[in-house]
Amino acid sequence: MLLREGLIGLIARGGHEVVAAVGDAPSLAKAAREHTPDLVVTDVRMPPAHQDEGLRTALELRAERPQLPILVLSQYVQRAYAADLLDSGDGTGVGYLLKDRIGQVEQFLAALTEVASGGTVVDPEVVRQLLRRRRDPLAVLTPREREVLGEMAQGKSNAAIARTLVVSEAAVGKHIGNILTKLDLPPTDDTHRRVLAVLAFLRA
């Protein structure tokens, strides 16, 4: 709530009119449809679950109105979130900034204006991580971890991988844990990290 109130004051100070300020994703969707604003500013995480409701609502709004400018704020870099946002709508009028940038008032207000006018603004740290991922997502893995991932891609269990590479099953489990960490695949309720790791291997 404090961040929201601060943003209201900051945006108004920049010469913009705030037509609605809400605290959860359903209210965001309702307000955007009711007011048809020139720009939506949202957090990635919003109530009720504080996961990615804000981002998902932004993508839904962009699907309905592809040219709706949206600026998404995030506490930390989530490359998949940034990629989804940049791929949404017609590819214009989107922004993805870390919340730290709000303190740089002039730059933040400039980003608001840029996104509202159809431009694209991406936090420098997000750009750096996106470019690093596109170079080779597997570059961070050791040769042994690449071997283990290759065996995983063949559908082998940990025990089968251990037999093939002549190592202990515990060693395989440790390698897989390292692979998932290095590929930036944190535990979630709705994704299978092992499958995502294999997909990264196949893409590379």
Side-chain angles (χ1 to χ4, degrees):
M1 183 180 69
L2 290 174
L3 176 62
R4 186 168 68 249
E5 292 302 315
L7 281 172
I8 292 171
L10 189 60
I11 292 170
R13 172 179 157 187
H16 306 283
E17 178 187 1
V18 179
V19 296
V22 299
D24 58 72
S27 299
L28 170 62
K30 180 179 179 182
R33 290 169 181 137
E34 177 181 346
H35 294 283
T36 59
D38 298 317
L39 173 69
V40 169
V41 180
T42 181
D43 199 333
V44 167
R45 297 172 182 264
M46 295 185 75
H50 294 282
Q51 293 183 354
D52 61 352
E53 291 88 346
L55 176 78
R56 284 192 281 110
T57 299
L59 295 176
E60 289 172 8
L61 292 171
R62 290 272 290 180
E64 296 172 9
R65 186 179 157 198
Q67 294 182 328
L68 172 64
I70 292 183
L71 176 60
V72 171
L73 304 175
S74 181
Q75 186 67 40
Y76 50 89
V77 177
Q78 281 282 4
R79 293 179 301 202
Y81 290 168
D84 287 345
L85 182 67
L86 294 171
D87 287 340
S88 69
D90 63 358
T92 63
V94 292
Y96 186 99
L97 291 179
L98 297 182
K99 290 180 183 177
D100 292 346
R101 305 297 172 191
I102 297 173
Q104 301 168 11
V105 176
E106 296 304 320
Q107 292 182 30
F108 178 70
L109 291 176
L112 283 179
T113 301
E114 180 68 20
V115 174
S117 63
T120 300
V121 176
V122 183
D123 195 282
E125 179 61 18
V126 177
V127 172
R128 187 184 70 80
Q129 294 207 27
L130 285 172
L131 290 175
R132 180 166 62 85
R133 182 172 187 173
R134 286 181 178 176
R135 280 198 295 270
D136 181 4
L138 306 185
V140 294
L141 303 182
T142 66
R144 176 59 91 179
E145 288 164 355
R146 281 176 173 261
E147 279 187 294
V148 171
L149 184 53
E151 297 297 320
M152 288 167 59
Q154 297 178 48
K156 292 183 179 180
S157 66
N158 287 16
I161 294 172
R163 287 194 299 270
T164 300
L165 300 180
V166 196
V167 295
S168 69
E169 201 168 331
V172 171
K174 184 177 180 180
H175 286 311
I176 292 175
N178 290 339
I179 290 167
L180 298 178
T181 298
K182 290 180 178 180
L183 293 183
D184 193 23
L185 296 172
T188 62
D189 295 333
D190 53 355
T191 57
H192 196 306
R193 296 192 295 162
R194 193 173 177 118
V195 172
L196 293 178
V198 168
L199 288 174
F201 174 81
L202 296 175
R203 291 192 189 106

